[in-house]
Structure formats: structure tokens, C-alpha cells
Amino acid sequence: MSLSKQILQELEAGQNPAKAAQMSRFFKTGKGEYAEGDVFWGLTSAQVQGCAKKHWKEASFDDMDALLRARHHEARSCAVFMLVLRFGAAKTEEEREAVFSFFVERLPFANNWDLIDISVHKIIGAYLFGREPDLLYKLAKSKNLWEQRAAVVSTMYFIKRGKLDATFTLCEGFLTHPHDLMHKACGWMLREAGKRDASALCAFLDKFAARMPRTMLRYALEKFPREQRAHYMAAK
């Protein structure tokens, strides 16, 4: 039996149908919703992470490819966790590049916001830091929602190291994006950027607050004093 099949069996053994139904509703899997057709076993994040930690050292890229293509959400989540662990443990630039390239080629399989948010800054952002971020702008122009979200959330790695330009550029480009998931992602990254440089965030808001989707603006302002939040919200 391949390791990927063994992992699928281990994950399936922990299934919880009642929780699976709750997760299906929470992650919007209904007809016409952003995760239409996704299915769950109902595992907790701790269960999935435990499985990933157990197997990541021995899992091959073929195993992780099989998990990323699997029907159940938790299988893809397990693969993503394993890739994060593999990248973090890489000893050479060649090993880091191998994980990065593998993941980027399969980003559409990380097809929900949780899979993107736990991984892209730790792999894509980490790999691109100190390099030209052209890939992020390419992903931002994708027709795939998850690649678009990956572009902006990847900049979390940059933000934590005081590099904010890519975040502001990407968020400006997403001002007219139609999807709430992108409004939330951009607002979240703007808020994090503001923690590093409040004046830079204020300069961005002074220029764009009136054009920002309300959700994006609200998220960006979460750490501001009440009067300042009211000032920027009044621009809407």
C-alpha cells in the first residue's frame, strides 16, 4: 500500500459525520458557493496536523500530489501541512526550491481559504523574500480565486520583516475585486501592515478608503482608535 493511501485510511478512520455536516456549511460547499462540492470527514485541525507530523518526513512528492488531488478536504489539508513542514526543515536552497515549485504548480488544489492561509506565507512568501515578487503579481491576475488570495496572503512573510510595498500594491489592485474572501484577505494584510507602520497604512487609507469595499476597510481598521475608525468609515 502506498503511503498516501495509508494516510487517507488514517484520516478516514477519524471521521465525524455530524462535524462534517457543520464544516460543509461553514466552508460554503453548497451549489453556487465558493467551495461547491467539497466534502469533509469532520476532522479537527489538530487531528489533521497530527497525521501530517507523523508522516511528513517519509512522504514523497508523489504521495503529497495524491493527497492534494483527493476528494476530501482533510486530505488536501494534510498535504499542505506536510509541505509547510518540509519547507521549514529544508537544509539547502535546492530543497526549498523543490517544495516551492511543487506547491506553486498545485496551488489550485489548495481550494479553500483555510488551506491558503495556513501555508502560502510560510512557503511562497518565505521563498520569495529577498527576490523579485513577480510571481505574486502573476497570481493576482489569475482567474482562480485561491491563487489570487495566495498572492496577497503570501505577503504576510514580508510584512513581519517590515517590507510592505507588495502588500499595498496588491491590495490596491484588488480594490474592485467582487469577492468577499478577497476583501477579507486584503483587509487582514492591511491591518498587519499597519501594526508595522501605522503611518504607511494611514497614507494608503487617505488615498483609497472611499474606494475600498466596506469589509476590506473594516478589517484594515480593527486596531485603530475609535475616532480614527469612524473618520475612515465615514469616507464610505
Side-chain angles (χ1 to χ4, degrees):
M1 179 188 300
S2 67
L3 180 57
S4 60
K5 289 183 179 179
Q6 179 184 334
I7 291 171
L8 289 171
Q9 288 185 358
E10 289 182 18
L11 293 171
E12 185 177 11
Q15 64 184 299
N16 181 330
K19 185 172 179 61
Q22 294 174 353
M23 294 173 75
S24 293
R25 291 191 294 271
F26 179 75
F27 284 105
K28 308 298 183 184
T29 64
K31 186 173 179 58
E33 294 182 311
Y34 61 74
E36 180 179 349
D38 202 359
V39 293
F40 293 81
W41 278 311
L43 276 66
T44 65
S45 180
Q47 286 175 297
V48 177
Q49 288 188 54
C51 186
K53 290 175 181 177
K54 177 181 176 182
H55 294 295
W56 73 271
K57 290 182 180 179
E58 56 184 322
S60 67
F61 283 128
D62 285 343
D63 291 319
M64 289 184 281
D65 183 69
L67 293 172
L68 284 170
R69 296 173 188 273
R71 180 168 178 256
H72 285 81
H73 186 95
E74 291 90 342
R76 301 192 299 281
S77 181
C78 185
V80 167
F81 276 123
M82 288 196 290
L83 287 166
V84 169
L85 292 168
R86 177 75 63 86
F87 187 90
K91 298 291 193 295
T92 67
E93 192 61 21
E94 289 74 15
E95 291 174 342
R96 284 163 52 91
E97 184 176 1
V99 177
F100 164 80
S101 298
F102 175 89
F103 186 43
V104 169
E105 289 173 3
R106 291 159 181 80
L107 259 183
F109 293 111
N111 57 347
N112 214 315
W113 57 264
D114 62 315
L115 305 181
I116 293 297
D117 294 356
I118 63 174
S119 61
V120 295
H121 59 296
K122 295 179 179 180
I123 299 176
I124 298 175
Y127 183 81
L128 292 178
F129 186 70
R131 295 178 167 90
E132 290 297 323
D134 295 348
L135 174 65
L136 301 185
Y137 303 126
K138 179 180 178 181
L139 292 173
K141 294 178 181 178
S142 169
K143 301 298 184 183
N144 182 285
L145 174 63
W146 311 117
E147 291 187 331
Q148 293 172 340
R149 187 171 174 109
V152 69
V153 176
S154 289
T155 68
M156 173 70 84
Y157 193 91
F158 299 0
I159 292 168
K160 289 184 176 180
R161 287 150 185 83
K163 303 295 184 181
L164 311 181
D165 290 352
T167 302
F168 289 131
T169 299
L170 288 164
C171 288
E172 179 181 351
F174 285 131
L175 288 174
T176 59
H177 197 285
H179 207 294
D180 187 64
L181 284 177
M182 289 305 300
H183 304 167
K184 292 177 179 178
C186 289
W188 170 27
M189 290 303 106
L190 290 170
R191 182 186 70 212
E192 296 304 310
K195 292 178 184 178
R196 297 291 308 207
D197 189 337
S199 62
L201 176 56
C202 286
F204 183 90
L205 295 174
D206 289 342
K207 189 173 182 180
F208 297 115
R211 294 169 48 194
M212 290 170 68
R214 194 170 188 85
T215 297
M216 186 189 300
L217 180 59
R218 190 176 71 249
Y219 271 50
L221 294 171
E222 282 183 351
K223 299 300 180 180
F224 277 32
R226 180 179 300 177
E227 293 81 3
Q228 206 171 11
R229 290 201 307 271
H231 165 73
Y232 283 115
M233 290 303 296
K236 292 299 296 173

